[in-house]
Amino acid sequence: MHKLSSRAPRLRPSATKRYTASALAGAAVGGALLFGVLSSAVFARASISADTFRQLDLFGEVFEQVHENYVTDPEDGELIKGAINGMLDTLDPHSSYMTAEDFQTMQEQTRGTFAGLGIQIVMDNEGDDKGYVKIVAPIEDTPADRAGVLTNDLIVEIDGEAVLGMTIDEAISKLKGEKGTKVDIKILRDRDAEPFELTIVRDIVTVQAVRWRAEGEFAYVRIATFSEQAEDGVKKAIKKLSKEIPGGPKGLILDLRSNPGGLLDQAVSVSDIFLEGGEIVSTRGRRPRDTLREMGTPGDKLNGKPIIVLINGGSASASEIVAGALQDRNRALLLGTKSFGKGSVQTVIPLQNGLQGALRLTTAR
């Protein structure tokens, strides 16, 4: 029996920050992202105490000793990356460092096309699943989805190497790869059973953010991910279905099942389509000035017609923002099972204009 150990606005390529309401690994790592103009330079040195600088001196001394005296010649870049990952691992499962390559991949993912497996993952830093790669949701019609990967599956082994002890970035680097290459993984689904093996062939993942169809007199709209195409896709769906259904749809079924999240601005914009203005979502950071209130604009595109929102355990981050906003305003009825439960916002902060990668940091809840 396999036992779990108890240890363990629009995208611009530079000078931006983006908030993700979740991780897509080529695998795919993701959530509610938000990009803006925050750079690492905004963190003023004046806010760092003298004691902290002394501790940084300690780090520098340890680094120097390792560099000069370790039994083999270490790679300095790997030492620094390991130290950064170790620091972020103490915070939460969603904060992480991205190399320049990873940062570029993330930008491709938000545009809806990338190479990989098509899964969104996290790595818990507490609880029974600590230290393992957990599936938030497979993206529909991707290699992982076709292989039968499910929400809350744990990846315990990648190409014969145990996941326990890896960082999430290390796991992602092993999961992603070129189109046509294979990856062997072991999946633990029933926590009291043995893991089983899957071989998945990586492919180009093109995520169609929005699909729609008429269901009798009702409109059915499926949002697979909150990429940059989500808002325009929903508006297009409503326009076409209003012409296709005689007299227009009598109501809407909005399907957010197994939608792992995406861009915060897209979640706000999609919610605004069905609301008559007012507050859609608010986030709070550790300082009062970090409080963010996203307001809608007047004009419900469905003119008050009933909405049912479908959710499940794979509905995370930006999906939960939309479902929660429509429910809280008594605009929609939620049907399904308990959603994933990710109530935080990550800011993507490019480092040295992205040349040194980026920091994905939880900045609000």
Side-chain angles (χ1 to χ4, degrees), residues 61-72:
E61 184 176 349
V62 171
F63 175 83
E64 184 177 356
Q65 291 295 331
V66 172
H67 175 81
E68 293 295 332
N69 300 313
Y70 186 64
V71 64
T72 60

Side-chain angles (χ1 to χ4, degrees), residues 37-162:
V37 286
L38 181 66
S39 76
S40 55
V42 302
F43 299 103
R45 282 177 171 262
S47 67
I48 302 177
S49 69
D51 183 61
T52 299
F53 280 114
R54 284 192 290 271
Q55 294 178 56
L56 289 172
D57 286 339
L58 173 62
F59 170 79
E61 184 176 349
V62 171
F63 175 83
E64 184 177 356
Q65 291 295 331
V66 172
H67 175 81
E68 293 295 332
N69 300 313
Y70 186 64
V71 64
T72 60
D73 188 18
E75 170 57 49
D76 289 352
E78 289 301 311
L79 292 177
I80 296 297
K81 184 179 177 182
I84 293 172
N85 286 329
M87 174 172 57
L88 296 173
D89 283 346
T90 66
L91 301 178
D92 62 71
H94 310 294
S95 296
S96 63
Y97 168 70
M98 293 179 284
T99 64
E101 181 184 359
D102 292 336
F103 183 39
Q104 181 179 359
T105 299
M106 188 214 71
Q107 293 173 307
E108 292 171 356
Q109 291 165 358
T110 62
R111 289 190 284 266
T113 301
F114 55 95
L117 303 181
I119 51 174
Q120 185 186 17
I121 62 175
V122 295
M123 182 176 282
D124 290 347
N125 57 9
E126 60 183 18
D128 292 339
D129 296 342
K130 178 181 177 180
Y132 293 94
V133 170
K134 180 184 287 187
I135 307 297
V136 175
I139 301 171
E140 63 186 45
D141 198 28
T142 62
D145 183 40
R146 292 190 289 268
V149 174
L150 301 177
T151 295
N152 286 325
D153 280 353
L154 297 182
I155 299 178
V156 299
E157 192 174 291
I158 304 171
D159 284 335
E161 187 174 347

Side-chain angles (χ1 to χ4, degrees), residues 136 151-152 256-258 310-316 320 323 334-342:
V136 175
T151 295
N152 286 325
L256 301 180
R257 290 175 297 179
S258 297
L310 304 181
I311 60 171
N312 64 6
S315 305
E320 294 171 301
L334 304 191
L335 290 181
T337 58
K338 184 179 179 180
S339 63
F340 187 78
K342 181 180 181 292

